[in-house]
Amino acid sequence: MADIVSWEPLSFLGSDFIEPFTLVILNQPISIKREVMVHLWNNAIFSAAYRITVDGGTDRWFDWLEASGACGLSNLGLPDLVTGDFDSIRPDTLLTLKEKSVCLEGTPDQDFTDFSKAVQCAKEKQAPNFIIAVCEVSGRLDQILSQLNTLHSHEECIVLLSSCSATWVLRPGTHKIYVSGLKNRGILSHDRWIGLIPVGAPSIVTTSGLKWNLENAEMKFGGLISSSNTYSDDPVIKIKTDQPLIWSMGINISDSKEMKNQLNVTS
């Protein structure tokens, strides 16, 4: 078993967060508040981090910049790397990227998703192994499941960040998740839901700090999973698992205007 791992969820949204990270923008609607997206992008610049847009996610990013009145196609809004098989990015966007000498990394291998290949590209370029992937968890179920598979398949710490949730993998071992700061900052969704889902193999799990705790319980598909759980009054949630678990928590960083367009999800 690994040592105890401590988590301070969404600390990367704070103004004092300086840890380098890789920001990945996938080909899905960007429905996160403008100030949050600008903060993430600028923080990625100033913390010597890495910014990757994935195929049509590049168009999503540029369109979002224009719609939000941000920096448009100025150099400040350019990614460090654009990856994918380039089947969904607009031809004029590709031309603009080439003119501005943005690094383009074609990844045509159809055995892996563009998201997974972007993570691999980041690793090869020695980008920070803490990854924030912006993607809305709505629309196509197969895309959502493939994103979870990417989380499970890579050793890097990857957080799926949407306007309504934050999701990552808890590896085998003991975890402490500090939630008191989130409760005080008003980031949690109004119903404050938590999901704890086994992936890959049945898991033996013990928890404390949840409303419905587990004690050496076997979790597996076809059996017990912990969806629609929530917090107790404890400031720290403790989770011990012998297999990887998906941790997902409800948050509220949505742009209500953009949320109306969430069903416009493409592959």
Side-chain angles (χ1 to χ4, degrees):
M1 288 289 185
D3 294 334
I4 295 176
V5 180
S6 295
W7 300 87
E8 295 186 23
L10 307 187
S11 59
F12 52 82
L13 296 180
S15 59
D16 57 348
F17 185 80
I18 58 174
E19 179 183 347
F21 62 90
T22 298
L23 180 64
V24 176
I25 297 179
L26 301 179
N27 186 16
Q28 292 182 315
I30 300 175
S31 301
I32 294 173
K33 287 180 180 178
R34 180 185 187 278
E35 57 267 30
V36 174
M37 280 304 306
V38 171
H39 168 79
L40 286 173
W41 191 268
N42 289 341
N43 216 22
I45 295 173
F46 298 127
S47 66
Y50 212 69
R51 296 153 300 164
I52 299 175
T53 56
V54 180
D55 210 339
T58 313
D59 294 319
R60 299 277 192 180
W61 171 242
F62 289 156
D63 290 346
W64 181 88
L65 285 171
E66 293 182 3
S68 64
C71 52
L73 290 178
S74 70
N75 289 335
L76 183 62
L78 292 173
D80 299 301
L81 175 68
V82 177
T83 69
D85 54 15
F86 302 146
D87 64 343
S88 57
I89 191 171
R90 293 192 296 256
D92 60 308
T93 301
L94 268 179
L95 180 60
T96 298
L97 294 170
K98 292 176 181 178
E99 290 174 347
K100 292 182 175 290
S101 300
V102 173
C103 181
L104 303 175
E105 188 82 32
T107 52
D109 189 343
Q110 295 301 308
D111 289 338
F112 299 93
T113 65
D114 282 346
F115 182 17
S116 185
K117 289 182 286 188
V119 173
Q120 184 60 38
C121 284
K123 182 188 301 186
E124 291 172 356
K125 294 184 179 299
Q126 298 182 325
N129 63 5
F130 173 45
I131 298 171
I132 302 168
V134 174
C135 58
E136 279 306 320
V137 286
S138 63
R140 285 178 47 179
L141 178 61
D142 63 331
Q143 287 187 335
I144 296 171
L145 292 174
S146 75
Q147 291 160 6
L148 297 180
N149 183 59
T150 296
L151 264 63
H152 182 264
S153 302
H154 292 273
E155 290 300 321
E156 291 78 10
C157 177
I158 306 172
V159 176
L160 293 180
L161 183 68
S162 80
S163 59
C164 62
S165 66
T167 304
W168 64 91
V169 171
L170 303 178
R171 300 292 175 185
T174 301
H175 301 262
K176 291 184 176 181
I177 303 174
Y178 294 84
V179 296
S180 58
L182 290 176
K183 294 177 181 179
N184 296 333
R185 291 167 60 193
I187 293 176
L188 299 181
S189 60
H190 71 279
D191 52 358
R192 307 203 309 179
W193 62 265
I194 295 169
L196 199 59
I197 313 296
V199 288
S203 307
I204 303 299
V205 181
T206 296
T207 71
S208 64
L210 301 178
K211 184 175 182 179
W212 294 284
N213 282 306
L214 304 163
E215 182 65 37
N216 288 325
E218 183 184 58
M219 301 179 68
K220 64 179 181 179
F221 274 93
L224 174 68
I225 64 173
S226 183
S227 62
S228 300
N229 211 326
T230 189
Y231 306 89
S232 68
D233 293 329
D234 294 344
V236 181
I237 295 172
K238 297 179 182 179
I239 300 172
K240 182 179 180 181
T241 178
D242 67 341
Q243 295 292 333
L245 291 175
I246 293 289
W247 165 275
S248 192
M249 58 190 297
I251 61 175
N252 181 21
I253 54 172
S254 69
D255 182 329
S256 58
K257 294 176 293 184
E258 290 296 329
M259 288 292 285
K260 296 178 182 178
N261 300 320
Q262 274 193 22
L263 293 180
N264 181 28
V265 179
T266 62
S267 60

